[in-house]
Amino acid sequence: MFTKIKNIDTAFQQVRTFTTVIVLCCILLCAYSIYQGFKTAEIARSQVYLIANGQAVKGVISTRTENLGVEIRDHVRTFHELFFTLDPDDKAIQANLSKALYLIDGSGKQVYDGLQEKGYYNGIISGNISQRVKIDSVRVDLEQEPVKFVCFARQEIQRSSSSVERRLITSGTIREVARTDNNPHGILIENWRILLNKNINPINAPANEISNY
């Protein structure tokens, strides 16, 4: 009699242990499933689709800090391309410069005003001169506050009788501002300076034929 009771008690303990293990496994499985569900949803929310040339292109949403260096380099590149790309057409010059001045503080306006007073832009138009800039690199120091940059570029200045290449180096600091249609990166260049702007490859033209910044 006692042996039967003991066997029943042992069997009950075994069933209870087995049931406990099954319940724990179910809880762990449910917890893992919930975790994976949230993780999948988070990944889905971080992905966006953009329409480019009629095709959907998948992108990933990231924080501004993660891409700050990339945004600064593109902002600096865009400003320099707008500011230094000039054609012998007053409307084209003003269109580029008006866009460029949205990306910089008063230091850019000061350089513009100085060139305007010297008749630089009138010389571009009257001399049928075309000017292009090629950005070699933009170095950004994110460890300092405010963030500093140095831009290394080359200018190509062409006229009917001459062609000149100039080395251009500028520097400045960066301040984050609100994003707008005129400033999509939400970045403002401050304390902008032209450190170097000199001829490196004159062709059929003496150096003094090209106006200096």
Side-chain angles (χ1 to χ4, degrees), residues 159-163 203-205 209:
R159 62 173 71 190
S160 58
S161 61
S162 64
S163 177
I203 301 174
N204 300 325
E209 283 192 17

Side-chain angles (χ1 to χ4, degrees), residues 187-198:
I187 292 171
L188 194 68
I189 297 173
E190 297 183 317
N191 306 310
W192 184 55
R193 294 188 302 154
I194 297 177
L195 304 178
L196 179 68
N197 186 250
K198 69 176 184 178

Side-chain angles (χ1 to χ4, degrees), residues 116-160:
Q116 185 80 341
E117 290 178 4
K118 293 177 182 178
Y120 184 83
Y121 300 110
N122 290 333
I124 291 286
I125 296 171
S126 61
N128 288 319
I129 299 172
S130 294
Q131 179 176 291
R132 297 290 182 272
V133 65
K134 292 183 178 179
I135 309 300
D136 292 325
S137 64
V138 180
R139 297 180 184 175
V140 180
D141 186 359
L142 296 174
E143 301 299 324
Q144 295 191 21
E145 186 62 37
V147 175
K148 296 183 178 180
F149 75 87
V150 179
C151 178
F152 300 86
R154 288 170 292 138
Q155 285 178 274
E156 293 180 355
I157 304 174
Q158 295 182 341
R159 62 173 71 190
S160 58

